[in-house]
Amino acid sequence: MQLKRVLILEDDLETVSVLLGKLASLENELMKSDRKVEFSFMVMSEYTDVDTMINGLDAESFDIILLDRDCKVAGSFHILDIEKFGVDKVISISSTPPYNEDAKQRGVKRVAHKDYANLTTFADAVMDHIKELI
C-alpha cells in the first residue's frame, strides 16, 4: 500500500467538497486494484497559512499539490514555494486563465481550469492529473 499526501490550497467550500468526494472515490477505486493507494490530505483556505506553515516544511511533505490562486482574505496561494516543493507535483486549479498561466510561467505543467458551472467535470480533470502523478 502507498500513501500519497495531497495539499489542497482552495478557499471555496463547494469546490473543496467536490474535490474531496472525487478523491474519496479515486481512493476506493485504487484500493480495489493492484495499486493500493490511500490519500492523506490537508486543506488550507488562507494564503497566510501557506506562508507561515507550509513553506517551512520539507519538500517531501506533499506528493500532490492542488493550487488555486485567490483566497477570501485578499491574498494569493501563489505565495507557495512551488520551486522548492517541485513543479511536477503541482496542479494549477484557478478559474481565471491568466492565473493558471502565471503558474505555468513558474514551471507548472498540469492545469485543470476550474469551472464553477460544472465543478464535477473540473474535478474529474483534476483526478486525471492525480492519476498521472501516482
Side-chain angles (χ1 to χ4, degrees):
M1 197 251 337
Q2 294 180 25
L3 178 67
K4 296 294 183 181
R5 292 175 177 88
V6 181
L7 173 62
I8 303 171
L9 301 177
E10 172 63 60
D11 67 336
D12 179 68
L13 284 171
E14 186 175 4
T15 300
V16 170
S17 175
V18 172
L19 286 170
L20 289 177
K22 291 288 185 175
L23 200 58
S25 294
L26 179 57
E27 181 182 72
N28 287 334
E29 173 188 325
L30 292 168
M31 288 302 290
K32 292 176 185 172
S33 74
D34 293 337
R35 295 176 74 183
K36 305 281 189 255
V37 175
E38 288 186 314
F39 296 108
S40 169
F41 64 92
M42 179 184 294
V43 177
M44 293 281 174
S45 61
E46 296 186 15
Y47 82 99
T48 53
D49 293 338
V50 174
D51 192 34
T52 59
M53 293 188 276
I54 300 301
N55 281 340
L57 296 174
D58 294 331
E60 298 79 29
S61 297
F62 303 103
D63 301 298
I64 300 163
I65 300 172
L66 307 183
L67 177 67
D68 191 16
R69 188 200 177 263
D70 285 342
C71 78
K72 293 176 184 170
V73 293
S76 171
F77 287 122
H78 283 202
I79 196 169
L80 177 73
D81 191 344
I82 295 172
E83 296 76 12
K84 170 185 160 182
F85 286 102
V87 295
D88 292 331
K89 296 178 183 180
V90 178
I91 304 166
S92 183
I93 61 168
S94 180
S95 62
T96 306
Y99 297 158
N100 288 325
E101 288 302 316
D102 289 346
K104 284 182 178 180
Q105 290 296 316
R106 291 179 64 188
V108 173
K109 296 167 186 65
R110 292 176 178 86
V111 173
H113 175 76
K114 184 179 1 174
D115 179 1
Y116 287 107
N118 198 343
L119 286 175
T120 301
T121 300
F122 154 73
D124 287 339
V126 172
M127 295 309 116
D128 288 342
H129 286 301
I130 288 175
K131 288 176 188 176
E132 292 173 4
L133 289 169
I134 57 173

